[in-house]
Amino acid sequence: MDRQYDFAAIEKKWQKYWADKDLFSVTEDPEKQKYYVLEMFPYPSGKCHMGHVRNYSIGDVMARYLTMQGYNVLHPMGFDAFGLPAENAAIKHGTRPDVWTHDNMAEMTEQLKQLGLSYDWDRSVATCTPEYYKWMQWIFIQFFKKGLAYKKKKAVNWCPSCQTVLANEQVVDGVCERCKTPVGKKELEQWYLKITDYAERLLDDLDKLEGWPLKVRTMQKNWIGKSTGAQVFFEIEGFDQKLEIFTTRPDTLYGVTYMVLAPEHAFVQELVAGTEYEKPVAEFLDRLQYLSDIDRNSTTLEKEGLFIGRYCVNPLTGKRVPIYIGNYVLTDYGTGAIMAVPAHDQRDFDFAKKYNIEIIPVIDPGDPAIDVNDLQEAFLTEGKMINSDRFNGMNNREALDAIVAYIEEKGIGKASTIFRLRDWLISRQRYWGTPIPMLYCEHCGWVPEKEENLPVLLPEDVEFTGKGESPLTTSKTFQNGVCPVCGAPARREIDTMDTFLDSSWYFLRYCDARNDKAPWDKEKAKYWMSVDQYIGGVEHAILHLLYARFFTMFLYDIGMSPVEEPFKNLLTQGMVLKDGSKMSKSVGNIVSPEEIIAKYGADTARLFILFTAPPEKELEWSDAGVEGSYRFLNRVYRLVYDAADELKDAPAAFTAQNEDDKSLLFVLNSSIKKVGSDLKERFNFNTAISAIMVLVNELYRYRGLETQNKALLKYALDCLVLLLSPFTPHICEEMWEHLGHSESTYHQPWPKYDESALVQDTIEIVFQLNGKVKEKLNVASGLSKEAFQEAVMAEERVQQQLAGKQIVKIVSVPDRLLNVVVKG
RNA sequence: GCCCUGAUGGCGGAAUUGGUAGACGCGCUGGACUCAAAAUCCAGUGGCCUUUAAAGCCGUGCGGGUUCGAUUCCCGCUUGGGGCACCA
């Protein structure tokens, strides 16, 4: 060991040591309590960025800390390796997606190792390998067998320039994210997963996820979007089918004065066929077609409608109400048709005013300032029912339930719930994804590939043009299959799966990553699952986390997963910013991890990132801050280096000899206590590190003393190194070795604090007058309320403060303060 | 519009159940060491008033309230960030 902190040599040395000793590989050990720490695996774009460093540093500290606490810690890493960039590189540069991806994974793996992360690399997965996607296909087939995967023709996002379907995520502000062409709609037959069957469970379970940030739970709640109300059937005059609508306000049923259908509603064409309304309706539809998705869905779009010449009958009043089509009614929400109550819905109100439609109030606001029969705006809150026959006089909240019961009894409707969540469109017209293991047979229809034939391999004789249908159609042989049911020639599905499927179960695969007989061994999954701590960016708050929950629930239902919820605790880390905005190429404010590691080492990078902000907050990059972290490590290093030699023959047992020893012990033990609680209970790495800094400052003070207790000093330095080791493992291994230890810090037991060292004889307390601090005093600690008050009141300075004042009240808080309320 | 969050020195941030606001770090100032500089070590550092010190006053986005005592709890605002949104 050199007095100069040579981080490059030290980091290389210990990374090799860890790898040689295979220190981070774990197996199921029923004797030990397990802990599963997981960071969201990266897409192998080629280089790690600071967001990765932050994410993995957080996970690494937890994994290392918990290991030292004696847990059997599973801490795996892999790659979410399918996806568009590899294919775009193929289109642009003619590279092979598999080669491109594997090169990137190799490079990123190297970088991750340079950060000193404690991963069990033996469990690594890459979703683009046949060993992985074989089981992806197997899971898809299980969905199909349970009737939860189906193919359906539906209007999807279509980019007319790229000639391909786009996922919702690929439509940014209404244009294609790649070529910026406005996205249109196209009817296509696509595979869907029936996530809507799980909507209720996905929603209800959110309340149980107490280890998740409220923010994420709320976002998922909004996304699932449950509405409760009723479905009601309206007869259409001269038409044999009934119009079904959904409403959250069945209490306003008596106030319905018209109906509005989405222009694309299935009934519309039939209702106007051969009438004078046929042509205007066609024109109305035409105009809507020209609108982009954003304009169509904009809340500021002028509400327009068109009477289509037909009437419905209100099932409660028998009243005839006109049917309109309207641009503000959505085809794919609810039933695509609404009952309109202008008196109690603002949109309906505006629409009714515009087209001169009757407004019937059914709830009386009970406010003299509002004329019920001449409303100036819709009345939305509570009141008493009017114009509602037998329900008149009831509070409208009660009437809501009563009316639902009534329509159920009369068979014209029933209580109902709808969700905003849609089924998951998983087909992608892409090459670089898991092939959907389905075949179309003339006789048998869509059938799954036989499980023993999995995986359905991605063909290599494929052209990448970036246009038209799935690239898999360009393979000469891929589509030619055999029907697994009847043996006739069958055509293979040429679309691949959305990559979000791959990442919806990888945490289960980590439990038994090398299994080639099953997706994983159930006993192993039972030991490791669920993930105790999941860490990743908040940008995955909805899609990834919802899909992973959905998969886990499904896998639980078919007996494959031991748990219903995959992630017990979730930590969403904040972004890394520079100059106030997210690091990005276009802004040109990127600081690369490579650069920082080369200049200061991985330990400094980790320390800076963990110290500068609490993990869930945004982190503003600061070059001066990095310097500070580097300086601190140098300071610790010198402290240990300079002391180590004189401590060689220090005895192991120590006793505190004087006040300085006691002070050091006090700081040492409070640091141990604070670091532990900050790590385990609060994830406050920043304050944990600051506690270690306080200890280092105290050690420097102690080192400046004439007489030092060598045994105590040795003990303190040992503890210091262990406390710091989860944060900056390389330098700590080096210092640990220098302090005369031969084993790695990794499996050392976490230091324990001595409660008795935390008890101080005297303690600084505050004397307040009327709640304002007047004096700071040292008094004996651990006194009773009365004794404490007596001790403080006896102080001369206190007596001076109280001179000539009339005491009204005394509040005594031992070991903290004495507050005297006075008059005059 | 609805929902979730946040607002504390020059800066990043502490204050864990209502009890000394500003821990720790950055920056800055001064000192020691040095021929000098860098590095290092030590000390100081919320504002106002004051030659200095003591003392005092003000201070956690704004306005009220509860309390002996409020960054913390309650009511009403301002404002930054995020999510959802013609959702029937």
Side-chain angles (χ1 to χ4, degrees):
Chain A
M1 185 167 167
D2 195 12
R3 189 168 197 267
Q4 183 64 36
Y5 167 43
D6 182 356
F7 59 83
I10 291 172
E11 292 182 359
K12 209 172 151 193
K13 170 182 166 186
W14 291 100
Q15 280 160 19
K16 183 171 185 309
Y17 174 91
W18 297 331
D20 290 348
K21 294 253 167 169
D22 203 12
L23 211 58
F24 307 133
S25 83
V26 283
T27 50
E28 301 72 46
D29 178 353
E31 301 297 307
K32 281 169 109 182
Q33 201 176 348
K34 68 93 186 179
Y35 201 96
Y36 189 170
V37 178
L38 182 66
E39 298 116 53
M40 292 181 182
F41 64 168
Y43 176 79
S45 55
K47 298 237 188 273
C48 288
H49 53 68
M50 283 301 173
H52 292 128
V53 177
R54 190 174 195 192
N55 192 172
Y56 309 147
S57 297
I58 293 168
D60 201 48
V61 172
M62 299 187 72
R64 286 175 180 271
Y65 167 69
L66 289 158
T67 301
M68 293 173 84
Q69 284 273 320
Y71 288 91
N72 192 25
V73 175
L74 176 58
H75 188 214
M77 180 42 71
F79 290 100
D80 187 16
F82 272 136
L84 219 46
E87 204 163 330
N88 288 343
I91 295 165
K92 249 187 166 162
H93 306 115
T95 50
R96 281 177 46 169
D98 55 342
V99 174
W100 186 90
T101 304
H102 280 99
D103 286 352
N104 282 347
M105 290 196 292
E107 192 174 342
M108 280 178 86
T109 303
E110 209 37 58
Q111 291 188 343
L112 293 175
K113 287 185 176 170
Q114 275 179 22
L115 279 167
L117 304 167
S118 61
Y119 295 130
D120 181 356
W121 286 105
D122 299 340
R123 294 172 181 269
S124 179
V125 302
T127 57
C128 67
T129 56
E131 296 78 36
Y132 187 88
Y133 70 67
K134 170 180 179 174
W135 301 112
M136 179 72 257
Q137 292 172 339
W138 182 87
I139 293 170
F140 179 87
I141 291 171
Q142 309 314 307
F143 272 111
F144 181 80
K145 283 181 173 169
K146 292 284 174 191
L148 292 169
Y150 64 94
K151 204 164 194 193
K152 193 172 90 177
K153 196 169 199 171
K154 212 182 145 184
V156 295
N157 302 313
W158 179 260
C159 173
S161 158
C162 302
Q163 292 278 298
T164 189
V165 167
L166 297 177
N168 285 331
E169 316 84 74
Q170 291 158 347
V171 182
V172 180
D173 294 333
V175 302
C176 171
E177 63 162 355
R178 276 204 301 163
C179 68
K180 311 297 174 204
T181 310
V183 171
K185 291 278 175 189
K186 192 172 177 174
E187 291 262 317
L188 276 180
E189 200 183 38
Q190 306 271 290
W191 285 99
Y192 289 84
L193 288 186
K194 237 183 198 169
I195 190 171
T196 51
D197 271 18
Y198 282 73
E200 192 82 60
R201 268 167 86 187
L202 287 167
L203 184 70
D204 290 349
D205 267 16
L206 284 173
D207 291 334
K208 294 185 213 154
L209 297 176
E210 282 165 16
W212 284 39
L214 189 62
K215 178 183 176 174
V216 174
R217 290 194 273 166
T218 313
M219 280 165 74
Q220 292 214 353
K221 213 176 220 169
N222 289 343
W223 185 263
I224 296 168
K226 181 176 177 173
S227 297
T228 53
Q231 56 184 148
V232 187
F233 295 97
F234 282 71
E235 289 203 31
I236 299 173
E237 277 184 1
F239 196 67
D240 51 3
Q241 295 181 73
K242 285 185 179 176
L243 180 66
E244 181 192 348
I245 60 97
F246 173 82
T247 178
T248 53
R249 295 293 304 276
D251 54 325
T252 62
L253 212 43
Y254 286 86
V256 174
T257 54
Y258 64 100
M259 310 293 287
V260 192
L261 307 188
E264 297 89 349
H265 192 281
F267 288 0
V268 173
Q269 295 305 323
E270 264 187 88
L271 287 173
V272 297
T275 71
E276 57 182 302
Y277 294 95
E278 189 170 2
K279 207 173 147 208
V281 165
E283 283 167 4
F284 188 89
L285 267 167
D286 252 14
R287 263 190 298 134
L288 277 184
Q289 299 274 299
Y290 283 111
L291 287 177
S292 70
D293 246 30
I294 2 166
D295 291 338
R296 175 76 196 271
N297 290 318
S298 153
T299 46
T300 55
L301 180 70
E302 170 84 26
K303 282 158 195 52
E304 276 189 76
L306 186 70
F307 177 55
I308 62 168
R310 308 282 288 230
Y311 292 86
C312 269
V313 180
N314 185 326
L316 288 184
T317 60
K319 189 179 164 72
R320 273 177 106 218
V321 294
I323 305 176
Y324 283 72
I325 53 174
N327 63 355
Y328 71 103
V329 177
L330 307 172
T331 327
D332 54 358
Y333 186 76
T335 61
I338 61 164
M339 65 177 215
V341 187
H344 306 292
D345 179 288
Q346 194 57 42
R347 281 160 307 157
D348 296 346
F349 184 87
D350 296 340
F351 192 92
K353 282 281 178 198
K354 181 169 177 176
Y355 295 103
N356 238 335
I357 306 169
E358 191 183 4
I359 298 172
I360 302 176
V362 291
I363 301 167
D364 183 355
D367 178 350
I370 300 174
D371 179 358
V372 196
N373 294 310
D374 184 24
L375 291 168
Q376 298 307 303
E377 56 180 6
F379 175 71
L380 307 174
T381 49
E382 280 186 60
K384 278 212 163 35
M385 301 293 293
I386 51 171
N387 296 330
S388 298
D389 194 24
R390 68 186 65 200
F391 303 101
N392 283 341
M394 281 174 104
N395 172 284
N396 70 301
R397 294 277 145 210
E398 297 158 31
L400 195 149
D401 296 329
I403 291 180
V404 171
Y406 183 63
I407 59 174
E408 279 184 352
E409 187 191 310
K410 293 193 78 176
I412 51 177
K414 60 179 178 190
S416 168
T417 299
I418 60 170
F419 293 92
R420 206 191 72 93
L421 183 72
R422 305 297 144 80
D423 276 344
W424 180 7
L425 193 171
I426 59 136
S427 299
R428 294 292 180 271
Q429 290 65 45
R430 294 291 170 194
Y431 170 77
W432 197 230
T434 303
I436 297 171
M438 301 294 293
L439 295 113
Y440 185 76
C441 168
E442 292 284 319
H443 316 287
C444 310
W446 281 104
V447 285
E449 181 56 88
K450 284 182 188 165
E451 289 178 17
E452 62 263 34
N453 291 343
L454 298 181
V456 175
L457 288 170
L458 274 173
E460 292 187 5
D461 59 332
V462 167
E463 278 176 53
F464 300 101
T465 59
K467 305 258 175 218
E469 286 188 292
S470 167
L472 292 183
T473 51
T474 63
S475 164
K476 298 210 164 42
T477 54
F478 181 77
Q479 288 190 68
N480 309 326
V482 174
C483 174
V485 178
C486 71
R491 175 170 56 80
R492 271 193 202 287
E493 171 61 59
I494 40 92
D495 288 345
T496 55
M497 293 181 206
D498 180 1
T499 56
F500 270 109
L501 278 85
D502 306 318
S503 53
S504 294
W505 60 281
Y506 73 110
F507 39 88
L508 279 155
R509 180 68 179 171
Y510 280 143
C511 296
D512 189 17
R514 299 281 93 86
N515 196 331
D516 59 359
K517 302 283 186 295
W520 55 82
D521 179 272
K522 287 186 206 173
E523 284 305 308
K524 289 183 177 174
K526 196 171 173 188
Y527 180 79
W528 291 116
M529 286 296 283
S530 54
V531 173
D532 294 282
Q533 184 64 57
Y534 197 32
I535 308 153
V538 74
E539 65 273 19
H540 294 109
I542 297 173
L543 295 180
H544 164 61
L545 290 169
L546 192 67
Y547 293 151
R549 293 182 59 222
F550 166 49
F551 261 57
T552 307
M553 268 180 205
F554 169 73
L555 291 165
Y556 173 83
D557 288 348
I558 63 166
M560 286 301 296
S561 169
V563 294
E564 276 186 89
E565 286 289 341
F567 314 122
K568 199 167 163 210
N569 296 294
L570 174 71
L571 192 156
T572 51
Q573 108 245 7
M575 284 192 300
V576 182
L577 310 179
K578 173 110 196 285
D579 308 323
S581 55
K582 190 180 177 181
M583 286 188 182
S584 80
K585 266 186 207 158
S586 55
V587 183
N589 59 347
I590 291 185
V591 180
S592 86
E594 275 178 313
E595 185 186 312
I596 298 300
I597 291 172
K599 198 166 170 194
Y600 302 101
D603 283 337
T604 295
R606 293 167 57 127
L607 187 72
F608 165 74
I609 251 176
L610 294 164
F611 176 63
T612 304
E616 67 282 357
K617 281 190 87 167
E618 290 178 338
L619 184 153
E620 172 70 30
W621 187 266
S622 151
D623 291 329
V626 179
E627 289 278 357
S629 294
Y630 183 62
R631 215 154 39 215
F632 172 71
L633 287 183
N634 272 286
R635 192 168 146 84
V636 177
Y637 188 86
R638 273 193 307 273
L639 178 70
V640 171
Y641 184 91
D642 290 343
D645 278 340
E646 21 175 315
L647 300 181
K648 280 242 159 66
D649 36 282
F654 61 87
T655 45
Q657 313 278 352
N658 52 34
E659 284 309 306
D660 288 315
D661 287 7
K662 273 192 190 164
S663 159
L664 174 57
L665 268 175
F666 175 77
V667 175
L668 174 65
N669 283 285
S670 14
S671 300
I672 295 172
K673 186 175 182 181
K674 174 137 183 73
V675 173
S677 67
D678 279 354
L679 288 185
K680 188 141 197 194
E681 291 144 32
R682 309 202 310 158
F683 310 126
N684 278 15
F685 306 108
N686 54 334
T687 52
I689 292 167
S690 80
I692 298 174
M693 287 172 167
V694 171
L695 174 59
V696 170
N697 291 342
E698 171 68 11
L699 278 161
Y700 264 85
R701 192 193 66 82
Y702 190 81
R703 286 286 283 160
L705 299 172
E706 301 238 326
T707 52
Q708 292 162 34
N709 183 334
K710 299 260 193 269
L712 168 61
L713 187 58
K714 172 72 164 53
Y715 173 72
L717 288 175
D718 278 356
C719 287
L720 166 67
V721 168
L722 292 179
L723 289 181
L724 193 57
S725 67
F727 303 92
T728 58
H730 310 88
I731 191 176
C732 289
E733 291 276 28
E734 184 73 13
M735 292 187 295
W736 188 244
E737 187 183 61
H738 198 64
L739 283 166
H741 303 280
S742 53
E743 295 293 316
S744 162
T745 55
Y746 186 69
H747 278 126
Q748 295 302 314
W750 186 254
K752 290 196 170 41
Y753 61 90
D754 173 9
E755 199 72 59
S756 67
L758 295 175
V759 181
Q760 289 171 301
D761 301 339
T762 64
I763 199 160
E764 192 188 53
I765 63 95
V766 164
F767 170 75
Q768 296 181 335
L769 266 188
N770 293 341
K772 293 200 173 187
V773 179
K774 291 293 173 185
E775 299 288 342
K776 295 185 180 181
L777 310 159
N778 277 302
V779 301
S781 68
L783 298 177
S784 70
K785 263 192 175 187
E786 294 73 23
F788 177 76
Q789 178 176 331
E790 213 171 296
V792 176
M793 294 298 275
E795 292 279 341
E796 199 186 324
R797 278 148 67 200
V798 170
Q799 286 304 316
Q800 282 169 12
Q801 289 281 353
L802 290 171
K805 298 194 171 84
Q806 187 194 342
I807 296 175
V808 177
K809 184 178 179 179
I810 299 176
V811 181
S812 173
V813 185
D815 295 349
R816 282 195 193 274
L817 58 80
L818 189 82
N819 185 18
V820 179
V821 185
V822 295
K823 263 201 277 189

